[in-house]
Amino acid sequence: MAEYFEDKTFTAEDLGDRPLVKGEYEYCRFENCNFERMDLSEMKFVDCTFSHCNLSLATLEHSMIQDAKFEHCKLLGLKFDSCNPFNLSFSFDHCILDHSSFYQCKLKKTKFISCKLHEVDFESADLLQAYFEYCDLLNSTFLNSNLEKADFSTCINIQLDLDQNTVKGAKFSISSLPDLLVKYKIQVTG
């Protein structure tokens, strides 16, 4: 039987080198914790906050993540597409998500604030009304993605095929036009 934790704060000192106990965590806070390469499969995190944590290459197979907040976290190579899709929801503030995958994830209204998102897979993701504020999307993949009403207006290095994605009502900055039009081999001048 899985253990249940509610409204508890976990710090690096609390966990040490021990793995996180398999269970359900609601309204918990994780501060300065290292979960790198840890198996977090089939765990449940509801309304939890991760602050200054390293979750790089952690296994999230069938994990349930609902209304989680990641602040100043390192999340390299995470496969969010392997999480339980039911009510999958989170926000990211000042995080590094390089090489992560959101393939086919439903990410409506998800907020990415000042995040580094190099080579992230957003293929077939539903990013309706997602908000990307001051994010670096270098070499990230958008293919058959729903980007309707998504806000990329302050992003850099965004490159996507406008014909291969749904972009109605999406916002982009004028400076991103050359990257958005690279497929057409036209030049945009100031």
Side-chain angles (χ1 to χ4, degrees):
M1 182 162 202
E3 292 196 44
Y4 178 77
F5 301 90
E6 184 177 9
D7 203 24
K8 185 168 169 43
T9 298
F10 297 88
T11 65
E13 293 79 34
D14 296 332
L15 297 175
D17 290 333
R18 296 180 318 238
L20 192 63
V21 174
K22 292 277 186 196
E24 296 181 22
Y25 296 82
E26 292 195 48
Y27 307 103
C28 291
R29 184 167 180 85
F30 300 91
E31 297 177 353
N32 299 301
C33 296
N34 185 9
F35 301 113
E36 186 173 9
R37 298 184 186 276
M38 200 173 282
D39 186 2
L40 303 176
S41 297
E42 299 184 16
M43 296 178 74
K44 185 175 182 179
F45 300 98
V46 177
D47 284 302
C48 291
T49 300
F50 294 83
S51 179
H52 296 90
C53 293
N54 180 3
L55 289 96
S56 296
L57 299 172
T59 305
L60 299 174
E61 203 70 33
H62 305 292
S63 292
M64 192 171 258
I65 302 175
Q66 297 175 0
D67 296 320
K69 293 177 186 70
F70 295 92
E71 303 165 343
H72 300 275
C73 289
K74 188 175 176 184
L75 306 154
L76 301 177
L78 287 185
K79 296 185 143 297
F80 291 99
D81 51 351
S82 68
C83 291
N84 182 330
F86 181 72
N87 282 341
L88 182 66
S89 55
F90 29 61
S91 64
F92 302 96
D93 188 349
H94 288 83
C95 293
I96 302 171
L97 290 128
D98 296 355
H99 307 287
S100 292
S101 178
F102 294 97
Y103 176 73
Q104 293 186 331
C105 289
K106 295 190 182 328
L107 305 171
K108 293 179 182 175
K109 298 184 179 180
T110 299
K111 290 185 179 180
F112 297 87
I113 311 294
S114 296
C115 291
K116 186 173 168 232
L117 297 147
H118 289 193
E119 299 186 41
V120 173
D121 182 4
F122 289 106
E123 184 177 344
S124 300
D126 185 355
L127 290 155
L128 176 72
Q129 295 180 315
Y131 185 65
F132 292 82
E133 180 180 292
Y134 297 108
C135 292
D136 183 352
L137 291 155
L138 184 69
N139 296 325
S140 287
T141 306
F142 296 90
L143 181 65
N144 299 320
S145 304
N146 180 9
L147 308 176
E148 285 188 71
K149 298 180 183 174
D151 190 343
F152 297 98
S153 59
T154 58
C155 290
I156 61 169
N157 298 318
I158 182 164
Q159 191 170 14
L160 58 92
D161 187 331
L162 298 173
D163 297 328
Q164 301 271 330
N165 294 283
T166 306
V167 294
K168 183 177 179 185
K171 294 180 186 174
F172 300 96
S173 72
I174 195 95
S175 63
S176 64
L177 276 181
D179 287 334
L180 294 173
L181 301 173
V182 73
K183 168 185 169 182
Y184 302 105
K185 296 181 175 134
I186 59 174
Q187 294 180 356
V188 178
T189 59

